[in-house]
Amino acid sequence: MSFDDFEIDYEYSEEIQQNDPAVERVTGQLRVFFEEHPDDVYYETQLCIFFEKDFFHWVTSRALKEMRLNNEIGSELQTAPQNVSLRFYFHRRNRYWKRQAAEIRKIVQTFSAQPFTESLGLQGESMIDAGFPRIGFMPLASEVRSWNGKVWTQTGHDLDRVFSRDGLLYGTEIKNKLGYIEQNEFRAKLAMCKELELIPLFVARMMPRSYLYDVITAGGFALLMKYQFYPYAHRELARTVSTRLGLPVDCPARLSQGTLDRLLNLHLQKLQRINQN
């Protein structure tokens, strides 16, 4: 089961409000999008990712819901094997959408199977474990719930890693997934870092700007990869997901030096500020 592919429940987001102008803006863009692609079919997470540069996922999700309730676009919720639920959207003139939906559902079932989603999590962690030491970030611990005599007991969460460089300690959370880290989990991980006196460091494909603001306010960083990383052995599946669904997936052998340099520059800037105080 992959929670990336369930219909997004925007009601849990505190950022969205009634009559949100962002919903109106993305609705206008969605109308144009469906007019330009009248013969194509999409599922909800796919559309949210297409528009994520300018709109939070939950804003696009709300706009899609309002459009389907107003009968502006066609929609159907399907539940496939493995309890993978997909909300499809298509132009109302598209009479032959079911064949495309079946093709999409088959692809999504493949990358939503539990063994594969587990391998994605391990792939993200392995790439971080191999890449961070190249810029001097040394791993000190994994699956961390206590540190330096302090213990996190408020939830059952843990931090994926603790990395150290130049005396600074980073509580690190690694998310190799298409969707955002869940809001409750994000807040718990931030609170854990504060409780354990660790600098928060989130590594993810994408995070909303509101999350980024909270991380920066807490004195930490977010390293955004822009892509979900597939194991190299699944490069053909990655190619299919990328070309057929237009989703940001890739299977590089290692983290690029440019990605690592972004983190190193953030660290050095923080170190400089600390030394100046």
Side-chain angles (χ1 to χ4, degrees):
M1 179 187 303
S2 172
F3 291 98
D4 284 341
D5 305 303
F6 276 65
E7 183 181 8
I8 297 170
D9 191 347
Y10 62 81
E11 299 293 349
Y12 286 100
S13 170
E14 295 180 0
E15 285 80 358
I16 201 162
Q17 301 175 1
Q18 294 296 322
N19 302 318
D20 190 331
V23 174
E24 297 179 10
R25 292 197 302 274
V26 73
T27 298
Q29 293 188 25
L30 284 165
R31 291 185 182 122
V32 172
F33 180 85
F34 281 103
E35 286 298 327
E36 292 177 344
H37 303 85
D39 300 323
D40 295 324
V41 179
Y42 306 91
Y43 72 102
E44 184 161 319
T45 295
Q46 187 182 12
L47 290 166
C48 290
I49 291 173
F50 286 177
F51 289 87
E52 69 184 2
K53 180 179 179 181
D54 298 313
F55 302 100
F56 297 140
H57 289 184
W58 53 76
V59 171
T60 302
S61 178
R62 173 172 166 178
L64 288 166
K65 181 176 182 179
E66 291 183 357
M67 291 176 72
R68 78 167 186 264
L69 292 178
N70 293 330
N71 292 318
E72 291 190 60
I73 52 177
S75 178
E76 181 171 295
L77 179 65
Q78 297 185 2
T79 301
Q82 303 169 353
N83 292 324
V84 177
S85 296
L86 296 174
R87 168 72 69 176
F88 289 103
Y89 289 94
F90 44 90
H91 198 287
R92 292 187 63 81
R93 293 198 303 268
N94 187 346
R95 298 172 56 189
Y96 306 104
W97 62 271
K98 289 188 177 181
R99 179 177 296 180
Q100 286 191 57
E103 178 190 0
I104 293 171
R105 186 173 63 248
K106 183 177 180 180
I107 297 172
V108 174
Q109 285 177 233
T110 301
F111 67 67
S112 298
Q114 185 174 353
F116 186 68
T117 59
E118 291 176 352
S119 73
L120 289 175
L122 293 173
Q123 177 69 8
E125 293 180 4
S126 295
M127 294 190 72
I128 296 304
D129 288 341
F132 277 25
R134 288 162 49 194
I135 55 170
F137 279 68
M138 305 310 297
L140 300 183
S142 59
E143 299 179 358
V144 175
R145 297 187 64 184
S146 61
W147 189 259
N148 198 26
K150 297 180 180 294
V151 181
W152 175 260
T153 59
Q154 297 181 40
T155 68
H157 296 96
D158 58 44
L159 294 168
D160 289 326
R161 301 287 187 275
V162 171
F163 285 97
S164 173
R165 173 164 172 155
D166 300 319
L168 301 185
L169 300 173
Y170 292 91
T172 306
E173 185 64 19
I174 305 164
K175 290 296 182 187
N176 185 29
K177 57 187 294 184
L178 287 173
Y180 300 151
I181 178 175
E182 287 74 18
Q183 190 175 74
N184 290 341
E185 183 181 4
F186 169 71
R187 289 179 172 171
K189 299 300 174 78
L190 268 185
M192 286 182 68
C193 288
K194 182 177 180 180
E195 179 70 19
L196 303 182
E197 297 182 354
L198 298 169
I199 300 169
L201 172 56
F202 287 83
V203 182
R205 186 199 68 81
M206 185 60 64
M207 294 174 67
R209 290 187 298 276
S210 58
Y211 286 17
L212 299 179
Y213 175 82
D214 289 343
V215 174
I216 294 171
T217 300
F221 313 133
L223 184 63
L224 301 184
M225 299 297 183
K226 298 184 181 179
Y227 292 89
Q228 183 183 38
F229 297 138
Y230 278 29
Y232 189 72
H234 296 278
R235 58 190 179 279
E236 290 302 323
L237 176 59
R239 184 176 295 111
T240 298
V241 174
S242 176
T243 57
R244 176 61 184 87
L245 303 184
L247 293 175
V249 304
D250 199 1
C251 50
R254 62 187 63 83
L255 294 181
S256 71
Q257 190 59 44
T259 296
L260 295 171
D261 286 344
R262 282 193 284 124
L263 174 60
L264 180 58
N265 289 337
L266 290 170
H267 165 79
L268 294 176
Q269 292 171 17
K270 184 175 186 66
L271 189 64
Q272 184 178 31
R273 289 194 298 269
I274 291 173
N275 291 335
Q276 288 174 347
N277 292 335

